[in-house]
């Protein structure tokens, strides 16, 4: 992460840097002449191990190399197809003239200095986001063998503490709902490397469940069965039923399928069938009964007993099955499933679960079991789980050809039950050996063994039993034969019309947003109108169809989400503020009260345009009494809100990094929740907060590197015309804030990270808007962007992730001078990343109210764009 780097001059052009290989810790660098000018170095692509380099001419002077971005780690390169040959034009003696061969990334011949000092964000993380990982696809021409090569760097990477820490956080994110650092993702490499940490994370889950059991059992005095049910529910909430989902899917697949391809197809179905329901019910009942039978917890080092300690050990030891199975058995993937490419990567990445890591995972499980119950019990439990896991792996290999994610979850669930059975068995006897001796006595054990042997013998006999009476051969009946033969697939009708081509590209899961956009534009050009005659409406229609992947996008359901927060810079001076607004800080609460009563501007316009409305309080100063908002159906007070609003950014950062991340998370979760509730296909984002124009002006000034005079306007003013005195006051406030955090004038940093600026200069509602923009981008949900403040938030979101550009639909041209600067910067970032965007707002009505009002007024325009695509005929249709 940028903030953790030792070398902080990463935003300075390479030729001016003192520290050249800034993204590698100094102690880990192989090339130690990082402080020598690039042209004088012996080792040129110092940050890639020699054996992994694609560009082998690292000892050739920079200006003579064919591979230009050699000193950027492969995963961070903007030009991803660097390994495609680049031919020189034989007819041109100019060495800089090149012929592009199959590349989609056109800046392969631009030096690193040029690419990092342009408008694109050079600090964009290479981390694969959890929203993108499921849709990752294998590019055409890339084989599975090449994917195997993609993980060689992980296989050859030494055991280093920072890699294992990242693996730990990856596992936490993978199987729990614990809050993780914002840079954590589900990278398959770190996921597989960290499989040995499953028992450790399982212990954390177990401690949470055990605490719940002891609270219900000992503190509340409830019966053990009730405590067991509560702890089980707590475990489901803690892990989001992660392994239980795999148990249900595996039961449905193995129960309902009889061929590997059928089993995998059923397992990928998100619905739970009969086998899944039955298995889940049996699993839950068995778990609750076992915990109830284990009874009250007794915690003692190496000699614990009861349900609480058993929960901890079962959650830990049950998870050693995962690295063991991955080490011994093939990881399979559904080659035709929606996540086939991601599973294909895991299929190769499973080799990262080496024997040392698998053994270390088993050792961790043994250690935890020994600490809780003692070495003797651990020696009984660990082999039992390993034997069960091995038998499960063999069964999976027979039925499916190997193991996969859902199947691992099922084995972990059943391993937990096995561990609880073992611990109840030990608790019921004086010792393990005494229990085993007693078990073999009596007729029950003998009858069970005879049953198992008889079943296997039956299967062996049935497989080899001869046919005593062969059936006579039936006469060939061509009619019946034709009836039972599978109908041949009809020949695919090739549709070369613009509509047919557009539908084909839209349906292709591997198509890029730009490809879909251009295909829809070509279709729009043949509709019954002069080409381009509908202006921006056509651009909106093409982008809407590219997002929905359909020529009939439906935006009848639209949701409006407004975030509200108070700003410290707007507080009275006696309270440490700057009184930056013409209105007092308390007006924010009054505006929200009007929205609650459904009489404010946004309420009226939302109702008039059939838009669902919700307001989320993320930082309004309400005090201890939430008043009418406690039970409001329109206003939601977030439990994660900043109860005192933000701080005065002229004195200190408006928010801490943790507070900023918290507000962004509220934005993400609120959008996700509201969209699911309303089934919305597009979203309006707005805000309320006295002082947020000042905050937005500061953000735009620092992110566009414009002077404060160029971006500061009157904001919300009490008269029809802005007061020049108020504008000068705002300029002074923003100047002091920027001087406080980034220096003044010439010493101000040119490139500032969006998140850093947001925490220092933003507001709670602006941070929530940023989170909502990022979530909408991940889900391909069109966003109608309101005026100045919403555009400032969009600029921050785009600086964090340029892909946000493709969901932005700008609605209103604000009177604030900084609005044009923000729109221009967003367009620059979009163009630098090859993303089509129209930064010209569709409305120019002098709107400056906020609350999402401009975006609400543009909802009919968005719906009209959808209707043009779905209902308008082509010229050929009319002529014929």
């Amino acid at each position: 992460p940028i903030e953790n780097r030792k070398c902080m001059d990463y935003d300075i052009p390479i030729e001016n840097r003192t520290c050249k290989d800034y993204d590698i810790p100094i102690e880990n660098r192989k090339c130690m002449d990082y402080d020598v000018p690039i042209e004088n170095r012996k080792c040129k692509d110092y940050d890639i191990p020699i054996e992994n380099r694609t560009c082998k001419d690292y000892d050739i002077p920079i200006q003579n190399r064919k591979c230009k971005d050699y000193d950027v780690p492969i995963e961070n390169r903007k030009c991803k197809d660097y390994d495609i040959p680049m031919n020189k034009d034989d007819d041109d003696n100019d060495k800089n003239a090149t012929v592009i061969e199959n590349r989609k990334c056109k800046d392969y011949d631009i030096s690193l200095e040029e690419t990092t000092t342009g408008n694109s964000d050079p600090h964009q993380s290479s981390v694969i986001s959890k929203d993108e990982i499921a849709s990752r696809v294998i590019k055409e021409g890339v084989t599975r063998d090449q994917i195997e090569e993609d993980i060689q760097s992980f296989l050859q990477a030494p055991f280093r503490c920072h890699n294992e820490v990242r693996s730990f956080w990856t596992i936490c994110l993978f199987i729990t709902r614990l809050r993780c650092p914002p840079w954590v993702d589900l990278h398959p490499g770190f996921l597989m490397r960290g499989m040995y940490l499953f028992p450790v994370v399982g212990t954390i889950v177990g401690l949470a469940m055990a605490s719940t059991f002891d609270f219900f059992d000992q503190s509340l005095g409830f019966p053990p069965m009730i405590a067991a049910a509560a702890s089980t529910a707590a475990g489901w909430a803690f892990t989001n039923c992660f392994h239980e989902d795999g148990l249900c899917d595996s039961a449905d697949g193995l129960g309902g399928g009889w061929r590997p391809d059928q089993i995998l197809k059923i397992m990928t179905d998100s619905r739970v069938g009969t086998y899944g329901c039955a298995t889940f019910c049996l699993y839950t009942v068995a778990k609750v009964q076992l915990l109830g039978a284990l009874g009250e917890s007794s915690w003692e080092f190496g000699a614990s007993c009861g349900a609480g300690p058993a929960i901890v050990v079962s959650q830990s030891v049950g998870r050693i099955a995962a690295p063991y199975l991955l080490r011994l058995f093939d990881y399979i993937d559904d080659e035709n499933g929606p996540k086939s490419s991601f599973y294909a990567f895991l299929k190769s990445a499973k080799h990262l679960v080496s024997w040392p890591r698998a053994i270390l995972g088993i050792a961790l499980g043994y250690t935890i079991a020994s600490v809780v119950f003692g070495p003797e019990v651990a020696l009984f439990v660990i082999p039992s789980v390993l034997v069960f896991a091995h038998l499960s792996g063999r069964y999976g290999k027979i039925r499916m050809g190997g193991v996969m994610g859902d199947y691992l979850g099922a084995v972990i669930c059943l391993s937990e039950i096995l561990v609880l059975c073992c611990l109840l068995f030990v608790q019921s006897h004086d010792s393990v050996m005494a229990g085993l001796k007693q078990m073999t006595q009596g007729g029950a054990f003998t009858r069970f063994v005879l049953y198992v042997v008889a079943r296997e013998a039956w299967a062996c006999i049935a497989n080899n039993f001869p046919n005593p009476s062969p059936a006579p051969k039936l006469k060939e009946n061509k009619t019946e034969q034709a009836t039972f033969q599978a109908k041949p697939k009809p020949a695919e009708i090739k549709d070369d019309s613009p509509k047919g081509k557009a539908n084909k590209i839209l349906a292709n899961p591997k198509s890029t947003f730009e490809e879909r956009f251009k295909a829809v534009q070509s279709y729009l050009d043949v509709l019954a109108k002069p080409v381009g005659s509908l202006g921006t409406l056509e651009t909106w229609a093409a982008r809407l169809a590219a997002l929905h992947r359909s020529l009939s996008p439906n935006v009848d359901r639209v949701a409006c989400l407004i975030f509200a927060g108070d700003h410290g810079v707007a507080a009275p001076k006696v309270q440490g503020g700057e009184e930056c607004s013409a209105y007092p800080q308390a007006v924010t609460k009054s505006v929200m009260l009007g929205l609650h009563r459904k009489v404010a501007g946004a309420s009226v316009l939302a109702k008039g345009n059939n838009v669902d409305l919700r307001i989320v309080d993320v930082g309004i100063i309400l005090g201890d009494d939430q008043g009418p908002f406690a039970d409001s159906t329109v206003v939601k007070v977030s439990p994660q809100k900043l109860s005192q609003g933000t701080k005065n950014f002229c004195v200190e950062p408006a928010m801490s990094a943790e507070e900023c991340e918290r507000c962004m998370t509220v934005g993400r979760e609120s959008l996700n929740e509201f969209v699911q509730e309303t089934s919305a296909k597009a979203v309006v984002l707005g805000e309320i907060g006295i002082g947020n124009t000042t905050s937005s002006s500061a953000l735009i000034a620092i992110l566009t590197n414009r002077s404060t005079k160029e971006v500061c306007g009157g904001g919300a003013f009490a008269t029809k015309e802005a007061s020049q005195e108020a504008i000068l006051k705002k300029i002074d406030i923003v100047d002091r804030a920027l001087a406080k955090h980034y220096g003044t004038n010439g010493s101000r940093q040119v490139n500032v990270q969006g998140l850093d600026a947001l925490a220092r200069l933003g507001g709670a509602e602006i941070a929530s808007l940023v989170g909502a923009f990022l979530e909408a981008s991940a889900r391909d949900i069109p966003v109608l962007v309101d005026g100045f403040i919403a555009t400032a938030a969009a600029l921050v979101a785009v600086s964090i992730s340029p892909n946000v550009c493709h969901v932005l639909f700008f609605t209103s041209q604000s009177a604030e001078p900084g609005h044009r600067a923000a729109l221009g910067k967003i367009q620059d970032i979009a163009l630098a990343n090859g993303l089509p965007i129209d930064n010209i707002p569709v409305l120019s009505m002098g709107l400056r109210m906020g609350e999402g009002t401009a975006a609400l007024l543009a909802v009919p325009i968005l719906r009209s764009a959808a209707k043009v695509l779905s209902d308008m005929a082509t010229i050929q249709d009319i002529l014929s």
Side-chain angles (χ1 to χ4, degrees):
I2 290 175
E3 58 274 19
N4 296 340
R5 292 183 184 162
K6 293 186 177 181
C7 176
M8 301 307 291
D9 59 354
Y10 48 83
D11 54 352
I12 299 175
I14 286 184
E15 58 273 18
N16 299 336
R17 290 181 190 161
T18 303
C19 176
K20 300 297 185 179
D21 52 353
Y22 49 90
D23 53 354
I24 301 180
I26 290 177
E27 60 273 17
N28 296 340
R29 294 178 186 158
K30 290 189 176 182
C31 177
M32 301 307 292
D33 57 353
Y34 48 84
D35 54 353
V36 178
I38 288 181
E39 59 274 4
N40 298 337
R41 291 184 191 165
K42 293 183 179 180
C43 177
K44 299 297 184 178
D45 52 354
Y46 42 81
D47 51 356
I48 302 178
I50 290 177
E51 59 274 16
N52 295 341
R53 292 179 187 160
T54 301
C55 179
K56 302 299 188 183
D57 56 356
Y58 48 86
D59 53 352
I60 299 175
I62 289 178
Q63 59 273 14
N64 297 338
R65 292 185 189 168
K66 293 183 178 180
C67 178
K68 299 297 184 180
D69 54 352
Y70 45 80
D71 54 354
V72 180
I74 290 176
E75 61 274 17
N76 294 343
R77 292 183 184 160
K78 294 196 173 179
C79 180
K80 298 299 186 184
D81 53 1
Y82 50 85
D83 53 352
I84 298 178
M86 182 176 70
N87 294 339
K88 296 288 182 182
D89 191 346
D90 296 331
D91 298 328
D92 195 339
N93 294 324
D94 185 0
K95 291 184 178 180
N96 293 323
T98 57
V99 176
I100 298 172
E101 184 183 74
N102 300 331
R103 296 191 180 174
K104 292 183 180 178
C105 179
K106 306 300 185 187
D107 57 348
Y108 55 86
D109 56 352
I110 300 176
S111 64
L112 183 64
E113 291 87 343
E114 293 174 292
T115 56
T116 56
T117 56
N119 294 319
S120 60
D121 186 0
H123 319 307
Q124 187 184 0
S125 174
S126 65
V127 168
I128 304 173
S129 74
K130 64 182 181 182
D131 299 306
E132 294 171 357
I133 196 77
S135 61
R136 178 174 179 171
V137 296
I138 305 174
K139 294 182 179 179
E140 293 183 9
V142 179
T143 65
R144 299 263 171 113
D145 293 335
Q146 287 171 312
I147 293 178
E148 185 101 16
E149 294 173 3
D150 197 22
I151 63 168
Q152 290 303 314
S153 58
F154 284 96
L155 287 170
Q156 297 169 3
F159 188 96
R160 289 202 178 101
C161 183
H162 62 273
N163 286 333
E164 306 312 316
V165 169
R166 179 169 174 182
S167 296
F168 169 76
W169 283 115
T170 302
I171 297 300
C172 284
L173 180 64
F174 188 58
I175 64 175
T176 74
R177 298 178 70 180
L178 286 172
R179 184 174 295 277
C180 298
W183 46 262
V184 182
D185 63 358
L186 293 181
H187 194 290
F190 288 104
L191 179 62
M192 286 299 184
R193 278 176 67 101
M195 279 290 172
Y196 76 96
L197 294 169
F198 259 42
V200 177
V201 179
T203 303
I204 298 173
V205 177
L207 289 171
M209 295 175 62
S211 300
T212 304
F213 181 92
D214 291 346
F215 173 74
F216 276 82
D217 182 45
Q218 298 175 12
S219 299
L220 299 181
F222 287 178
M225 289 294 181
I226 301 299
S231 68
T232 302
W236 292 345
F238 200 87
T239 62
N240 214 19
C241 289
F242 183 69
H243 298 312
E244 288 75 12
D245 177 69
L247 176 67
C248 293
D249 288 341
S250 297
D252 281 332
L254 295 170
W258 56 90
R259 293 197 315 267
D261 59 327
Q262 292 174 329
I263 293 173
L264 292 174
K265 184 176 181 180
I266 295 173
M267 289 174 72
T268 56
D269 192 336
S270 60
R271 296 168 295 182
V272 179
T274 305
Y275 289 100
C277 289
T279 304
F280 182 71
C281 290
L282 288 173
Y283 162 77
T284 305
V285 170
K287 190 171 185 178
V288 171
Q289 289 285 342
L290 285 167
L291 292 176
L294 284 162
E296 184 177 349
S297 303
S298 174
W299 299 89
E300 184 177 350
F301 185 82
S304 302
C305 63
I311 291 172
V312 174
V313 173
S314 67
Q315 292 292 320
S316 173
V317 174
R319 284 176 168 82
I320 69 174
Y324 180 80
L325 286 171
L326 286 170
R327 178 63 263 174
L328 280 182
F329 298 94
D330 291 334
Y331 194 97
I332 58 174
D333 64 295
D334 179 11
E335 297 184 358
N336 298 316
K339 300 180 182 179
S340 58
S341 52
F342 178 54
Y343 289 139
F345 192 89
L346 288 180
K347 187 175 181 179
S348 298
K350 61 97 53 182
H351 297 294
L352 296 174
V353 188
S354 59
W355 267 120
R357 288 179 179 273
I359 292 172
L360 181 56
I362 296 170
L364 288 172
Y366 173 80
T367 301
I368 294 165
S370 297
V371 168
V372 179
F373 284 101
E376 182 185 5
V377 176
L379 285 173
F380 174 53
V381 171
I382 295 292
S384 300
V385 172
L386 292 178
V387 170
F388 174 73
H390 192 82
L391 294 175
S392 300
R394 291 191 63 183
Y395 180 74
K397 185 176 181 180
I398 294 170
R399 294 295 309 276
M400 301 182 296
V403 297
M404 63 178 298
D406 285 336
Y407 191 72
L408 292 179
V411 174
I412 288 173
C413 286
L414 297 180
S415 296
E416 292 173 12
I417 298 296
L418 175 62
V419 173
L420 292 176
C421 290
C422 291
L423 294 176
L424 181 60
F425 176 82
V426 171
Q427 188 171 307
S428 303
H429 300 85
D430 296 331
S431 66
V432 175
M433 295 307 299
L436 291 174
K437 184 177 180 180
Q438 182 179 346
M439 179 185 71
T440 56
Q441 296 175 353
F445 178 77
T446 303
R447 289 194 297 272
F448 182 76
V449 171
L450 288 175
Y451 159 72
V452 173
V453 172
R455 182 184 175 92
E456 292 300 315
W458 179 284
C460 182
I461 293 171
N463 286 336
N464 298 282
F465 201 86
N467 187 350
S469 178
K473 188 175 181 180
L474 296 175
K475 293 182 179 180
E476 184 177 1
N477 189 324
K478 294 183 179 181
T479 304
E480 292 182 2
Q481 184 180 10
T483 303
F484 287 100
Q485 282 180 343
K487 294 182 179 179
K489 293 183 179 180
E492 184 178 349
I493 300 175
K494 190 174 182 180
D495 187 355
D496 290 330
S497 66
K499 184 174 184 179
K501 291 179 179 178
N503 279 323
K504 184 177 180 180
I505 293 175
L506 290 172
N508 184 1
K510 297 181 181 180
S511 62
T512 65
F513 178 83
E514 185 178 11
E515 290 170 342
R516 299 194 299 272
F517 174 78
K518 289 182 177 179
V520 179
Q521 272 192 324
S522 298
Y523 171 63
L524 284 165
D525 289 343
V526 301
L527 295 182
K529 60 176 180 56
V531 175
S533 58
L534 291 178
T536 302
L537 192 69
E538 293 188 28
T539 306
W540 276 33
R543 296 177 63 232
L544 184 61
L547 289 171
H548 283 195
R549 292 179 177 269
S550 170
L551 288 180
S552 301
N554 184 347
V555 286
D556 291 341
R557 298 299 302 271
V558 178
C560 178
L561 198 58
I562 298 175
F563 297 98
D566 279 321
H567 289 251
V569 72
K573 290 188 176 181
V574 294
Q575 297 179 11
E578 302 292 335
E579 296 181 358
C580 66
S581 176
Y583 295 95
Q585 193 179 50
V587 171
T588 309
K589 179 179 178 181
S590 301
V591 173
M592 193 167 73
L593 185 61
L595 290 167
H596 161 70
R597 293 172 178 168
K598 302 180 181 180
V599 295
S603 304
V604 174
L605 292 176
K607 183 179 180 181
N609 289 288
N610 193 25
V611 174
D612 297 299
L613 177 66
R614 173 169 293 174
I615 296 87
V616 181
D617 173 14
V618 287
I620 293 183
I621 303 173
L622 296 177
D624 297 330
D625 182 20
Q626 295 185 4
F629 307 130
D631 301 319
S632 175
T633 58
V634 178
V635 177
K636 301 293 182 183
V637 180
S638 171
Q640 302 296 322
K641 67 174 287 187
L642 307 185
S643 58
Q644 298 302 313
T646 58
K647 303 176 183 66
N648 181 358
F649 60 51
C650 289
V651 179
E652 58 184 318
M655 297 174 283
S656 67
E658 187 276 331
E659 289 173 332
C660 182
E661 177 64 28
R662 203 165 80 205
C663 292
M664 288 175 64
T665 302
V666 172
R668 282 181 174 274
E669 293 177 349
S670 298
L671 183 134
N672 191 20
E673 177 185 341
F674 199 36
V675 166
Q676 288 185 355
E677 286 181 13
T678 60
S679 300
K681 302 302 181 183
V683 174
V684 168
L685 291 181
E687 40 59 47
I688 52 174
I690 297 300
N692 57 16
T693 308
T694 303
S695 180
S696 299
S697 298
L699 286 169
I700 292 172
I702 196 64
L703 292 177
T704 62
N705 201 30
R706 300 289 187 94
S707 69
T708 51
K709 293 180 180 180
E710 293 180 87
V711 300
C712 289
F717 37 89
T719 60
K720 288 188 176 181
E721 295 183 359
S723 165
Q724 191 63 29
E725 182 181 348
I727 295 175
L728 292 175
K729 179 180 180 181
K730 181 179 293 186
I731 291 173
D732 175 64
I733 292 172
V734 175
D735 273 334
R736 285 190 285 121
L738 298 182
K740 166 70 178 175
H741 300 291
Y742 298 108
T744 58
N745 299 327
S747 62
R748 184 188 298 168
Q749 296 184 27
V750 175
N751 292 316
V752 175
Q753 191 188 15
L755 278 176
D756 180 74
L758 181 62
R760 293 174 185 269
L761 306 171
E765 81 282 19
I766 297 176
S768 295
L769 282 172
V770 172
F773 278 122
L774 293 170
E775 182 69 16
S777 174
R779 294 163 59 89
D780 281 345
I781 299 174
V783 179
L784 291 169
V785 185
D786 199 41
F788 183 62
I789 290 88
T791 303
L795 175 59
V796 176
V798 167
S799 70
I800 296 172
S801 174
N803 281 333
V804 172
C805 290
H806 74 285
V807 301
L808 302 180
F809 292 74
F810 296 103
T811 61
S812 176
Q813 176 64 60
S814 171
E816 290 291 317
H819 196 206
R820 291 185 181 275
L823 291 172
K825 183 65 174 178
I826 291 173
Q827 186 176 42
D828 290 343
I829 295 174
L831 293 174
N833 288 273
L835 296 171
I837 188 172
D838 190 342
N839 70 334
I840 301 175
V842 294
L843 300 176
S844 182
M845 302 169 62
L847 301 171
R848 53 184 175 86
M849 182 176 177
E851 299 179 25
T853 49
L856 286 167
L857 287 170
V859 168
I861 300 177
L862 185 70
R863 289 172 176 158
S864 299
K867 289 297 182 182
V868 166
L869 270 173
S870 60
D871 296 353
M872 195 170 185
T874 66
I875 295 177
Q876 186 178 4
D877 291 335
I878 292 177
L879 294 177
S880 61

